[in-house]
Amino acid sequence: MRAIGIILAGGNNHRMRELSQKRAIAAMPVAGSYRSIDFALSNMSNSHIQRVAVLTQYNSRSLNEHLSSSKWWDFGRKQGGLFVFTPTVTADNSSWYRGTADSIYQNLDFLKNSHEPYVVIASGDCVYKMDYNKLLEYHIAKKADITVVCKDLPEGTSVERYGTVQMDDDNRIEDFDEKPIMAKSNTISCGIYVVRRRQLIEMIEKSALEDRYDFVKDVLIRYKNLKRIYGYKITEYWRNIASVEDYFSTNMDFLKPEIRDYFFRQYPDVYSKVDDLPPAKYNVGANVRNSLISSGSIINGTVENSIIFKKVYVGNNCTIKDSIILNDVYIGDNTYIENCIVESRDTIRANSYHQGENGIKIVIEKNDRFIL
Amino acid sequence: MIKKEMIAMLLAGGQGSRLGVLTSKVAKPAVAFGGKYRIIDFPLSNCINSGVDTVGVLTQYQPLRLNTHIGIGIPWDLDRNIGGVAVLPPYEKSANTDWYTGTANAIYQNLDYMESFNPEYVLILSGDHIYKMDYEVMLDFHKEKGSDVTIAVMPVPLEEAKRFGILITDEDRKILDFEEKPDNPRSNLASMGIYIFSWKVLKEALIKRADQPGLDFGKHIIPYCYDKGLSLFAYEFNGYWKDVGTLDSYWDANMELIDVVPEFNLYEEYWKIYTKSEILPPQYISGGSVVERCIIGEGSCIYGKVYNSVIGCGVVIGENTIVRDSIIMNYAELGKDGEFNKAIIAEHTKIGDRVKMGFGEEVPNETDPHIYDKGIVTVGEKSVIPNDVTIGKNSVVFGITTAADYTNLTLASGKTLIKAGDEA
């Protein structure tokens, strides 16, 4: 084992609007059967990284529930394991995680007690498949201190909410802008890094002494001229769930055959917690077109260009169009839903009408459900 | 010290020959059922839901699929520090090595396994029924009656009673007499093949009757206990219980799952049925497809039209293909522009484009008229069927077939096409 893993899954994001009210972004359901952290966890597992820490803070309960057992990702071995670290009060610390670097600092013992030479840092809110071993080999070949995974976004895409990088011909990063208003490049950082473990400990300890808490601002950018920081470009699918619009379009991407083939059929697989739900059921009146339907759902109405998550009930004569229905939603008869995201565990009464105009509407009704 | 109040012994060694080619490579308990399940999932889930966490699974016929399915019991939460699930095949002994020659003989050969858990009671189950049953309630009944042997029974219509083992009881459910497949049944209580024995009674009976060839519970052990004057009670069960021993009953039981509110409801919150799930992705239903009155497993891609059918996991149904009243098991791939009526298509089967099944006259099957009947077309696992083939009713295909195996690309009704051998 050459590396250990750290998954940063602590953050809240106001651009996710109401969807982040009850869960961490890393616990956002994606593509019918998964949570966004499954992608990073599966990548770790498939890259044979066996010791993985998940650093979580905001609404950590949602994530804890999902990570209640490590067996789904094949961690939980005698060597290694999955560790979920939330902030704790100790003799010399009573703070929450004040930033990404601080979250690592507060769990520095995890790094110190490992023996693997490298650390792969990933974030829990990205949808992608990646063999971290290739990244590691690149890192070693370049004799880099830090390697940052980067991706070229299509010309003209707004990169305002990403960190952008500029590289020289050898892919060494010359400049780094965090969330620039005027971007100098359309190459963005994907929030995935490789660092030598001792190097990381040293940099994090130093930042902590100076009361600096952010990994990007206070480590990457500060060290960019001092250390050899390289970019590793990926061309495969990579999306980051940072806003409702991103979340919506990332899910809708899975209606495309090539994306489904890449994630669902090609090696390696993405793993998630198994829910033991029965197969999806279609009754008379079901009319489903170009949609993903997950297990445990019962469909009685029309579903078009939509993603239906697990255990959803769609009543008679309903129409669901261009929408995402999250887990365990009950939709009463004669309901019309278009261009919406319906929050999980919600109950939509019969004869409701929801349509997202000028963008995606998030439906949260919090009605009581009467179970027969 | 290890002590388990009740352990279960699950008989899963039978071939189930009346399921035809469906069991030519797998034991009956490992046959797929209800989209994503296998038959053995039902008794195994019943065990863990009833608080029975020690289960010995007796295997003999074609155990590979069963072994890989059960593994160490993780899906059923039967991976325990003490107890859990153990697969028990026949084994070589210093003297008289035997296969399992009968249901009770199989249990007899595993006396040491049972002894190691120091049980009070032993529950005997078979791996070929679809039902949900709380064995703990049955155990309470056994204790309350001070019973030595308790047999689960089910009321059946009197005219059907002659197909079963029938128990005659008094008002207190004490068994007075029993008869095997009687012409004139004196009662309508049919034995379900589920027994609770007090351990000492079972052990004594098995050892005393060990020399009986083909030692069987119904034929030998129960009569032995009865003759000895032990107290035998019948526990009446009134829920859903379905034997899926024939292709016809197997097909029926699958089709019952697609009723609007099925009698056997998999969607209930409690009493979940667990299975080993290999694939997680949701299923994709394309534009231009129809799915009506059907259940479909994870990861399937439907481009055609599906009516009244049970579809497994990872199945692909090509464009414009019409599937009616059929059972399509895991990972089967159906080409474009086909039409399938009342077909049972086993796992990993590959079927070409424009294939039609279930057409023509209803003619009895030439080789096994009692297995392949009711117009069902059966295709065995890993079979290949080339493009443009038409297959009639009551026929069966198994193996990798090419156009040369058919006359004018047609297999008439009632025909059997089985290409055996390791290449097949």
Side-chain angles (χ1 to χ4, degrees):
Chain A
M1 285 318 102
R2 285 186 300 175
I4 55 170
I6 292 179
I7 297 177
L8 302 172
N12 178 19
N13 189 333
H14 65 92
R15 283 188 307 262
M16 289 301 287
R17 305 193 338 233
E18 300 93 321
L19 291 175
S20 66
Q21 261 170 19
K22 64 176 188 186
R23 61 169 84 77
I25 307 301
M28 278 307 294
V30 175
S33 312
Y34 305 93
R35 303 262 175 181
S36 59
I37 198 171
D38 289 335
F39 295 88
L41 284 172
S42 302
N43 288 338
M44 296 268 175
S45 179
N46 289 327
S47 307
H48 309 292
I49 294 174
Q50 293 192 324
R51 219 170 121 77
V52 175
V54 175
L55 305 181
T56 165
Q57 166 163 290
Y58 176 78
N59 267 346
S60 57
R61 195 181 64 98
S62 58
L63 204 55
N64 278 324
E65 247 169 60
H66 186 61
L67 304 179
S68 61
S69 169
S70 58
K71 67 183 165 190
W72 312 118
W73 303 273
D74 210 13
F75 295 120
R77 300 287 129 194
K78 294 208 167 174
Q79 295 187 0
L82 180 67
F83 304 84
V84 181
F85 294 135
T86 46
T88 55
V89 174
T90 61
D92 38 37
N93 175 51
S94 59
S95 303
W96 293 92
Y97 296 154
R98 286 160 292 191
T100 43
D102 188 44
S103 69
I104 298 174
Y105 178 73
Q106 290 194 29
N107 295 292
L108 211 57
D109 284 345
F110 172 76
L111 290 178
K112 287 183 170 169
N113 296 339
S114 302
H115 61 84
E116 291 83 348
Y118 297 97
V119 184
V120 174
I121 302 175
S123 71
D125 56 1
C126 298
V127 175
Y128 65 111
K129 284 213 263 192
M130 187 173 181
D131 184 351
Y132 296 132
N133 285 319
K134 293 209 177 111
L135 171 64
L136 212 55
E137 277 156 25
Y138 177 90
H139 178 81
I140 294 164
K142 289 285 182 195
K143 298 190 171 62
D145 290 309
I146 304 174
T147 300
V148 180
V149 175
C150 305
K151 185 171 175 63
D152 290 335
L153 292 187
E155 214 64 56
T157 318
S158 161
V159 292
E160 246 177 66
R161 51 190 187 74
Y162 298 105
T164 60
V165 297
Q166 282 172 287
M167 297 186 233
D168 68 10
D169 293 340
D170 190 38
N171 284 351
R172 183 163 174 179
I173 294 177
E174 293 175 316
D175 207 355
F176 209 115
D177 280 320
E178 183 66 352
K179 299 183 175 121
I181 295 173
M182 285 291 292
K184 284 176 247 162
S185 112
N186 64 337
T187 306
I188 57 149
S189 157
C190 297
I192 305 160
Y193 317 98
V194 182
V195 200
R196 202 155 47 76
R197 185 173 55 88
R198 291 187 187 286
Q199 174 85 74
L200 181 65
I201 294 172
E202 189 188 299
M203 290 190 300
I204 295 277
E205 278 185 329
K206 208 163 168 196
S207 299
L209 276 179
E210 297 164 350
D211 288 332
R212 294 171 181 273
Y213 303 124
D214 190 72
F215 186 73
V216 176
K217 274 204 305 254
D218 301 327
V219 178
L220 275 188
I221 296 181
R222 250 168 83 79
Y223 281 90
K224 76 180 175 219
N225 297 322
L226 185 65
K227 300 285 183 192
R228 292 166 60 86
I229 305 184
Y230 276 79
Y232 174 84
K233 274 197 191 170
I234 53 166
T235 49
E236 290 89 359
Y237 187 92
W238 175 90
R239 290 293 300 265
N240 157 271
I241 296 172
S243 68
V244 171
E245 288 68 30
D246 277 344
Y247 175 68
F248 190 84
S249 66
T250 303
N251 274 290
M252 288 302 169
D253 276 347
F254 281 84
L255 291 179
K256 298 175 190 158
E258 66 278 9
I259 305 288
R260 273 204 317 281
D261 185 62
Y262 177 65
F263 280 100
F264 296 166
R265 300 224 163 207
Q266 284 178 32
Y267 176 86
D269 286 342
V270 181
Y271 313 109
S272 188
K273 187 176 167 181
V274 172
D275 277 332
D276 295 298
L277 293 167
K281 186 159 185 267
Y282 303 87
N283 291 326
V284 175
N287 178 9
V288 184
R289 266 168 282 146
N290 189 34
S291 298
L292 284 173
I293 315 283
S294 308
S295 48
S297 292
I298 300 179
I299 313 289
N300 294 295
T302 299
V303 179
E304 246 184 85
N305 307 326
S306 297
I307 315 279
I308 309 289
F309 282 72
K310 296 174 189 171
K311 260 179 93 181
V312 170
Y313 178 88
V314 176
N316 292 316
N317 206 21
C318 288
T319 301
I320 316 285
K321 248 172 132 171
D322 305 316
S323 294
I324 293 174
I325 315 291
L326 296 181
N327 296 311
D328 199 9
V329 169
Y330 181 96
I331 299 174
D333 298 350
N334 311 318
T335 294
Y336 184 90
I337 293 176
E338 184 178 350
N339 220 12
C340 293
I341 298 175
V342 180
E343 178 60 299
S344 64
R345 292 178 215 288
D346 216 333
T347 303
I348 309 295
R349 297 241 168 90
N351 308 314
S352 304
Y353 182 91
H354 292 284
Q355 184 175 15
E357 288 157 16
N358 322 317
I360 295 128
K361 178 176 175 185
I362 296 172
V363 179
I364 302 179
E365 292 208 335
K366 293 189 175 160
N367 292 322
D368 289 329
R369 188 178 308 183
F370 303 102
I371 297 169
L372 297 173
Chain B
M1 184 186 140
I2 292 173
K3 169 110 193 117
K4 297 275 179 186
E5 188 186 26
M6 180 159 79
I7 65 170
M9 299 297 275
L10 177 48
L11 297 158
Q15 177 182 359
S17 54
R18 287 172 305 157
L19 285 178
V21 290
L22 296 186
T23 54
S24 55
K25 292 276 184 182
V26 295
K28 179 162 141 190
V31 170
F33 182 86
K36 64 184 289 192
Y37 304 99
R38 296 186 188 281
I39 295 169
I40 198 171
D41 291 334
F42 296 88
L44 280 179
S45 300
N46 285 340
C47 279
I48 198 68
N49 289 335
S50 306
V52 177
D53 67 2
T54 306
V55 185
V57 180
L58 299 123
T59 62
Q60 174 158 287
Y61 175 80
Q62 291 280 15
L64 176 64
R65 182 80 48 82
L66 209 48
N67 289 344
T68 47
H69 183 65
I70 295 170
I72 59 165
I74 289 177
W76 305 271
D77 225 3
L78 284 169
D79 51 325
R80 298 294 166 127
N81 286 339
I82 295 168
V85 68
V87 176
L88 306 168
Y91 53 94
E92 193 174 315
K93 303 165 199 70
S94 53
N96 60 34
T97 300
D98 271 325
W99 292 99
Y100 294 152
T101 57
T103 52
N105 177 264
I107 305 291
Y108 168 72
Q109 293 197 36
N110 289 286
L111 277 175
D112 289 346
Y113 171 79
M114 294 185 283
E115 190 98 71
S116 68
F117 293 104
N118 195 12
E120 294 286 320
Y121 309 98
V122 178
L123 171 67
I124 309 287
L125 301 169
S126 68
D128 44 12
H129 298 128
I130 305 297
Y131 64 112
K132 294 180 188 177
M133 181 173 176
D134 191 340
Y135 304 131
E136 205 170 12
V137 176
M138 183 172 167
L139 179 62
D140 289 343
F141 174 90
H142 180 88
K143 288 189 213 165
E144 183 194 310
K145 297 289 181 190
S147 175
D148 293 310
V149 184
T150 301
I151 304 174
V153 294
M154 199 158 140
V156 293
L158 212 51
E159 55 271 26
E160 281 182 33
K162 55 176 79 104
R163 297 198 294 124
F164 294 93
I166 295 297
L167 300 173
I168 295 104
T169 69
D170 68 9
E171 281 161 13
D172 197 35
R173 288 285 176 237
K174 189 171 167 62
I175 295 172
L176 302 175
D177 203 358
F178 48 84
E179 34 195 31
E180 190 65 21
K181 298 184 179 148
D183 287 331
N184 297 305
R186 285 185 282 154
S187 134
N188 68 339
L189 296 177
S191 167
M192 299 162 65
I194 299 167
Y195 311 100
I196 290 179
F197 284 88
S198 295
W199 164 238
K200 288 196 179 73
V201 171
L202 176 67
K203 188 179 171 188
E204 197 259 356
L206 288 173
I207 292 171
K208 280 276 159 56
R209 296 301 311 269
D211 294 333
Q212 170 72 41
L215 190 64
D216 183 87
F217 276 102
K219 285 190 202 118
H220 308 116
I221 297 297
I222 300 297
Y224 172 84
C225 294
Y226 176 78
D227 292 341
K228 237 185 112 190
L230 296 172
S231 61
L232 279 67
F233 280 85
Y235 169 73
E236 188 176 327
F237 177 74
N238 284 303
Y240 182 94
W241 180 81
K242 191 96 181 177
D243 179 84
V244 287
T246 63
L247 279 179
D248 183 34
S249 63
Y250 171 81
W251 185 85
D252 274 347
N254 271 284
M255 290 303 142
E256 282 173 16
L257 295 174
I258 59 183
D259 291 340
V260 174
V261 181
E263 199 185 338
F264 187 74
N265 196 345
L266 293 166
Y267 296 81
E268 282 169 346
E269 266 305 297
Y270 73 105
W271 217 269
K272 270 191 182 179
I273 303 299
Y274 302 98
T275 189
K276 185 177 168 197
S277 295
E278 291 158 3
I279 31 180
L280 297 158
Q283 54 200 252
Y284 177 71
I285 313 291
S286 82
S289 64
V290 177
V291 281
E292 200 172 85
R293 272 179 56 81
C294 55
I295 57 175
I296 303 181
E298 283 101 338
S300 290
C301 295
I302 312 294
Y303 300 97
K305 300 179 169 64
V306 183
Y307 307 91
N308 288 332
S309 296
V310 174
I311 313 287
C313 302
V315 170
V316 180
I317 295 179
E319 278 169 50
N320 292 322
T321 290
I322 299 168
V323 177
R324 267 198 202 93
D325 307 319
S326 296
I327 300 166
I328 316 286
M329 299 187 198
N330 295 354
Y331 302 106
E333 290 180 18
L334 277 52
K336 291 182 218 166
D337 303 309
E339 196 169 342
F340 298 82
N341 291 311
K342 222 174 172 182
I344 299 177
I345 296 179
E347 295 164 56
H348 294 279
T349 300
K350 283 199 166 47
I351 295 179
D353 297 339
R354 298 173 297 281
V355 169
K356 292 188 163 46
M357 284 188 190
F359 284 86
E361 296 281 304
E362 194 154 323
V363 178
N365 185 268
E366 54 180 4
T367 50
D368 304 282
H370 302 295
I371 296 177
Y372 307 107
D373 62 353
K374 302 272 161 58
I376 297 170
V377 182
T378 313
V379 181
E381 66 173 53
K382 293 182 187 152
S383 295
V384 174
I385 295 178
N387 291 344
D388 299 299
V389 163
T390 301
I391 295 174
K393 289 176 180 160
N394 293 335
S395 49
V396 52
V397 178
F398 182 38
I400 296 173
T401 64
T402 60
D405 296 313
Y406 301 86
T407 2
N408 296 329
L409 293 169
T410 304
L411 186 71
S413 291
K415 292 288 177 194
T416 299
L417 172 56
I418 293 180
K419 290 182 85 178
D422 287 337
E423 294 299 310

